[in-house]
Amino acid sequence: MSWSPPFTGLKSNAYASTMQGVAGAINSSKTLVYSACTIRTDCDETAAVGTAAVETGNGLGNSLIVLGQSITLAYGYPRHTGAGIARVTNIADISDGVSLF
């Protein structure tokens, strides 16, 4: 029978805590952006991606400026792209060694 110290699971606990923190940042960010969209008169929270693009011709649909960066939206929420949720949370995927920003 082998004995292992009680702190051997710290790495997995730290990883799980980090992922919970990222999830919290994403949820908070998307709620704040949706709230900003519903308050503004020039943002249509019912528009899908591309609905407003027909009128504007820019292919982005709705977008908001948050901290100086344009955030593309779908139904008032940040899109799940580098120009959407990744930009509003300021979280970069550097798992491949290349930052999005």
Side-chain angles (χ1 to χ4, degrees), residues 17-50:
S17 296
T18 301
M19 291 298 102
Q20 288 173 348
V22 169
I26 290 171
N27 286 329
S28 296
S29 298
K30 72 178 187 173
T31 301
L32 288 171
V33 168
Y34 182 78
S35 298
C37 182
T38 58
I39 291 171
R40 294 178 55 137
T41 57
D42 61 341
C43 184
D44 181 8
E45 72 273 5
T46 63
V49 177

Side-chain angles (χ1 to χ4, degrees), residues 6-25:
F7 54 83
T8 56
L10 290 180
K11 182 177 180 180
S12 62
N13 290 344
Y15 180 77
S17 296
T18 301
M19 291 298 102
Q20 288 173 348
V22 169

Side-chain angles (χ1 to χ4, degrees), residues 16 30 52 82 94 96:
K30 72 178 187 173
I94 57 170
D96 59 356

Side-chain angles (χ1 to χ4, degrees), residues 60 70-73 78-88 101:
L60 294 176
S70 179
I71 309 300
T72 58
L73 308 176
R79 292 189 61 211
H80 59 283
T81 63
I85 197 68
R87 192 175 286 170
V88 77
F101 308 106

Side-chain angles (χ1 to χ4, degrees), residues 5-6 11 22 36 48-49 53 55 58 64 67 74 82-83 89-92 96 99 101:
K11 182 177 180 180
V22 169
V49 177
E55 299 167 12
N58 63 7
L64 289 175
L67 298 174
T89 57
N90 202 19
I91 296 174
D96 59 356
S99 177
F101 308 106

